[in-house]
Amino acid sequence: MGASNAAAEKELTGPGTANLMEAVVERSNMLTALHRVESNKGAAGVDRMTVAELRAYLKEQWPKIRESLLSGSYEPKPVRRVEIPKPDGKGVRKLGIPTVVDRLIQQALHQVMSPIFDPAFSGSSYGFRPGRSAQDAVKQARAYVREGRRWVVDLDLEKFFDRVNHDILMARVAGKVKDKRVLLLIRKYLQAGVMEEGLTVASLEGTPQGGPLSPLLSNIMLDDLDRELERRGHQFCRYADDCNVYVKSRHAGERVMESLTRFLEQKLRLKVNREKSAVGRPWERKFLGYSMTFHMKALLKAAPQSVKRFRLKLKELFRVGRGRNLERFIREALNPVIRGWANYFHLSGTRGTFEELDEWLRRKLRCMLWRQWKRVWTRFKRLKARGLGEVRAWKSATNGRGSWWNSGASHMNEAFPRRFFDQLGLLSLLTTVRLAQQKIN
């Protein structure tokens, strides 16, 4: 990437000085950023350059890019608009994919800015911060409920990333960053625009989801909310734009909801989604995919909406996997999804959901087998080969019922018991959750 400017780097005496851009383009920082961008992979931006092509491009172009960053003349490209369905199936989430070069620069910016801002963030802020996770936020929420705060103010910010006010955000950034080149570059990223159907649409507000810098900027923007909640003495957990405040009564919750809505809309110019926000019981609401039981010593559990989304994801996997070899399908397609979901929900204190899902998964696999057999004679031979008597195998193969009914019937359960799927390597959600719990205990 070219030799580092040693003299310029010496001028950087600490965070927030007027020479922060020198730290951004410093060789080790850029190499770290490059490794991160390459490991994250991701799609190409508007210029169609892939991550695999980035290194070769930088060997030729980095000196020119570096000079433009140091002089303040660098111009980011618009982001490429991508729409993905929201988890609840209602509407789409708009992502903005920067070019790989802009992702590299944003990552380098993030690496020098995060140590400046993160130490001062609230202890109740968990999203996109080193050493903190969604599970940490959920465990703290459970602690608040166990302390007797059995009402929750569930705040939902409407299209937060699309509505961030640039002037308010930049004022917060400028409070600690004095390098005008860095401030100008961040504003340029905010205003780079979005390319849709070949046309660039200007960005007058918002920070596009999809860039490495957006999570940090969102925390900087919402730090005002955290400080206001702390000033009022509230117990809360915030993960990005998902914020829950835990109180002891409905009346207190309604009062908090009203005052926080006023604060967010008037001071930060953010809009609270009144349809999705509510004051309710923790076991009636969800937070980061989890819900709770109503016991005095509340237990965490996967929220019903999370279970529904998981089933829908698995159904799509089964649809795509029709006709595939069963063992390979389990190993390559099913197990990675099961492992990821179980590891995320390993904090659950209930087992019923995992047992039901395990049974449902085995039934779906039996259904997959029944459909693959298609013909009556094939079904008869397969059932007989699995140990069913000739009369029963023939009666089962010719019953005329649908595949889902047969997958839950006794003949398929006897022919393909749980141990059959265990031998194929099918992961059990319940067992995977227990193993994850043992590792942390």
Side-chain angles (χ1 to χ4, degrees), residues 393-407:
W394 181 253
K395 186 177 179 181
S396 299
T398 59
N399 62 39
R401 300 272 193 164
S403 53
W404 184 245
W405 184 91
N406 276 284
S407 66

Side-chain angles (χ1 to χ4, degrees), residues 138-150 246 281-283 291-301 347-350:
V138 169
K139 285 190 288 187
Q140 183 58 68
R142 178 183 62 188
Y144 289 144
V145 175
R146 287 181 173 180
E147 289 170 3
R149 301 176 186 278
R150 295 170 67 82
Y246 294 88
R281 295 292 197 176
W283 47 91
S291 186
M292 299 187 197
T293 66
F294 58 84
H295 303 97
M296 288 305 296
K297 189 177 180 180
L299 301 175
L300 292 168
K301 65 176 185 177
L347 295 176
S348 296
T350 59

Side-chain angles (χ1 to χ4, degrees), residues 9-256:
E9 289 163 16
K10 287 180 181 178
E11 293 177 11
L12 182 67
T13 56
T17 71
N19 301 295
L20 198 61
M21 186 62 82
E22 278 72 16
V24 173
V25 301
E26 190 269 329
R27 180 178 176 81
S28 62
N29 185 59
M30 293 305 304
L31 283 172
T32 301
L34 179 60
H35 292 316
R36 179 63 63 87
V37 170
E38 288 177 330
S39 64
N40 288 342
K41 299 179 181 179
V46 295
D47 62 357
R48 299 298 174 186
M49 185 191 298
T50 65
V51 172
E53 298 169 322
L54 180 57
R55 277 187 182 253
Y57 178 82
L58 291 173
K59 284 181 181 179
E60 293 184 5
Q61 300 297 325
W62 174 244
K64 187 190 299 183
I65 296 171
R66 183 179 184 277
E67 182 56 38
S68 66
L69 289 168
L70 288 171
S71 66
S73 62
Y74 180 81
E75 293 292 336
K77 288 183 171 61
V79 298
R80 181 166 68 87
R81 173 70 80 210
V82 174
E83 295 182 348
I84 61 171
K86 288 187 176 180
D88 58 8
K90 298 178 182 178
V92 295
R93 176 174 285 116
K94 295 181 178 181
L95 299 183
I97 301 179
T99 65
V100 289
V101 173
D102 283 327
R103 292 212 291 274
L104 173 71
I105 296 169
Q106 285 194 34
Q107 179 62 37
L109 278 167
H110 182 280
Q111 288 166 188
V112 298
M113 288 175 60
S114 184
I116 296 171
F117 286 94
D118 191 83
F121 285 153
S122 168
S124 297
S125 168
Y126 293 89
F128 312 118
R129 298 184 61 191
R132 287 169 170 257
S133 67
Q135 282 94 339
D136 293 329
V138 169
K139 285 190 288 187
Q140 183 58 68
R142 178 183 62 188
Y144 289 144
V145 175
R146 287 181 173 180
E147 289 170 3
R149 301 176 186 278
R150 295 170 67 82
W151 290 89
V152 59
V153 181
D154 188 354
L155 277 171
D156 184 273
L157 296 176
E158 187 173 304
K159 298 180 179 178
F160 167 72
F161 287 93
D162 297 333
R163 294 184 182 275
V164 169
N165 182 280
H166 291 172
D167 291 336
I168 295 176
L169 172 58
M170 290 308 303
R172 303 302 184 271
V173 176
K176 292 189 176 182
V177 173
K178 303 307 178 185
D179 192 324
K180 292 182 179 179
R181 296 164 300 176
V182 171
L183 296 174
L184 178 61
L185 181 58
I186 294 172
R187 188 175 278 276
K188 283 180 178 180
Y189 274 121
L190 293 173
Q191 298 177 341
V194 176
M195 184 169 284
E196 295 182 282
E197 299 179 358
L199 298 175
T200 301
V201 181
S203 300
L204 302 178
E205 62 180 2
T207 170
Q209 286 179 271
L213 198 55
S214 290
L216 176 61
L217 295 179
S218 71
N219 276 333
I220 293 172
M221 184 72 176
L222 290 173
D223 190 53
D224 279 19
L225 171 62
D226 299 341
R227 296 307 170 196
E228 180 66 14
L229 286 166
E230 289 177 342
R231 186 183 68 79
R232 299 181 187 186
H234 291 310
Q235 305 299 322
F236 69 98
C237 297
R238 184 179 66 78
Y239 192 96
D241 58 334
D242 200 345
C243 183
N244 278 6
V245 185
Y246 294 88
V247 295
K248 293 186 176 181
S249 70
R250 174 183 285 278
H251 179 70
E254 291 172 346
R255 187 176 65 249
V256 170

Side-chain angles (χ1 to χ4, degrees), residues 418-434:
R418 174 175 177 170
R419 65 177 176 274
F420 169 80
F421 298 107
D422 290 343
Q423 290 168 357
L424 289 182
L426 176 67
L427 290 178
S428 160
L429 281 158
L430 183 60
T431 302
T432 306
V433 166
R434 284 177 171 172

